Amino acid sequence: GAVVSQHPSRVICKSGTSVKIECRSLDFQATTMFWYRQFPKQSLMLMATSNEGSKATYEQGVEKDKFLINHASLTLSTLTVTSAHPEDSSFYICSARDRDSSYEQYFGPGTRLTVT
Amino acid sequence: QKEVEQDPGPLSVPEGAIVSLNCTYSNSAFQYFMWYRQYSRKGPELLMYTYSSGNKEDGRFTAQVDKSSKYISLFIRDSQPSDSATYLCAMSHYGNNRLAFGKGNQVVVIP
């Protein structure tokens, strides 16, 4: 149980285009989902917290208009990187908290974004 | 001072040895403590989850939390090459979903 999927697993896009990443909880309902980015050999940096049906809460320094987050259902959250630039190239990972659990988060496999 | 400190390693051990990992933290409000394992280019996988102080054992893995010292540990007994991964500690407050992560500790188990 507690499986989280992400799609796509890898994406290459040109500078200036937008990319959407999906995060799904497959066998549980997630009232809260989290989006992280991770640079090589670095820890996870929380970008935003999204609650189903409400606006996401962004961490300090993360541009809301650049990283659009939508959490339209209890099993799906999306992150859209708008007008992507090479410095946005990173590993993006989502996690989901089981509605029936306490504080455990289950992570997706990650999406490798490369902006050329 | 960072909220969570974790020596990134890397740590190399021979197969069968005990792996000992630890994290220190500064925020006494942390109540929930987790260890995640992350293989290269994959998402983290929850290994151990502990509430407040004490020990928890699961197979070859033991997690310890010492809140008085703000120190948590993970021990891996009879280490296997498949244990080679990065291990991240994480913790959160009561009533707060946000996880504070350590930098991760790269472990290599040599056959």
Side-chain angles (χ1 to χ4, degrees):
Chain A
V3 178
V4 176
S5 71
Q6 270 184 253
H7 178 79
S9 58
R10 189 174 296 201
V11 58
I12 301 172
C13 70
K14 291 188 176 179
S15 190
T17 60
S18 295
V19 174
K20 181 186 281 190
I21 302 169
E22 290 187 350
C23 177
R24 292 181 187 272
S25 57
L26 297 185
D27 51 1
F28 66 97
Q29 294 189 319
T31 48
T32 306
M33 287 185 169
F34 306 85
W35 286 95
Y36 297 83
R37 65 187 296 181
Q38 186 178 35
F39 292 104
K41 298 191 177 180
Q42 297 291 317
S43 190
L44 285 79
M45 185 191 81
L46 180 65
M47 299 174 66
T49 302
S50 102
N51 293 296
E52 186 261 339
S54 62
K55 288 185 179 180
T57 302
Y58 290 80
E59 294 299 303
Q60 194 173 10
V62 177
E63 298 176 58
K64 300 178 186 183
D65 296 331
K66 181 162 189 63
F67 299 100
L68 300 179
I69 291 171
N70 183 276
H71 190 164
S73 78
L74 284 172
T75 58
L76 173 65
S77 177
T78 60
L79 167 68
T80 302
V81 183
T82 62
S83 186
H85 291 283
E87 57 266 30
D88 297 325
S89 298
S90 189
F91 194 50
Y92 290 88
I93 306 176
C94 71
S95 72
R97 187 170 74 86
D98 189 336
R99 182 177 63 176
D100 297 326
S101 171
S102 49
Y103 292 88
E104 297 176 51
Q105 290 184 27
Y106 299 95
F107 284 80
T111 297
R112 172 77 54 194
L113 170 63
T114 304
V115 185
T116 61
Chain B
Q1 181 186 13
K2 293 192 89 174
E3 269 194 312
V4 181
E5 298 277 2
Q6 182 179 11
D7 183 351
L11 176 66
S12 292
V13 299
E15 184 175 354
I18 295 176
V19 175
S20 174
L21 306 170
N22 57 74
C23 290
T24 58
Y25 61 95
S26 57
N27 192 332
S28 57
F30 286 139
Q31 296 268 12
Y32 299 84
F33 304 92
M34 285 140 278
W35 285 95
Y36 286 87
R37 177 175 61 196
Q38 186 177 23
Y39 292 111
S40 182
R41 296 178 186 175
K42 300 288 184 186
E45 168 196 9
L46 181 65
L47 263 184
M48 300 286 284
Y49 168 70
T50 311
Y51 170 69
S52 195
S53 282
N55 294 358
K56 188 173 186 178
E57 192 172 315
D58 183 2
R60 296 185 295 112
F61 298 91
T62 301
Q64 291 182 349
V65 175
D66 182 350
K67 289 193 70 180
S68 61
S69 303
K70 298 192 183 68
Y71 186 92
I72 70 171
S73 302
L74 176 71
F75 300 97
I76 308 173
R77 289 184 299 281
D78 187 25
S79 57
Q80 306 293 311
S82 58
D83 294 327
S84 298
T86 296
Y87 292 81
L88 300 125
C89 64
M91 44 201 81
S92 66
H93 307 168
Y94 176 81
N96 186 325
N97 288 322
R98 298 177 71 255
L99 286 178
F101 278 91
K103 272 194 172 182
N105 204 176
Q106 186 182 359
V107 172
V108 178
V109 180
I110 303 165

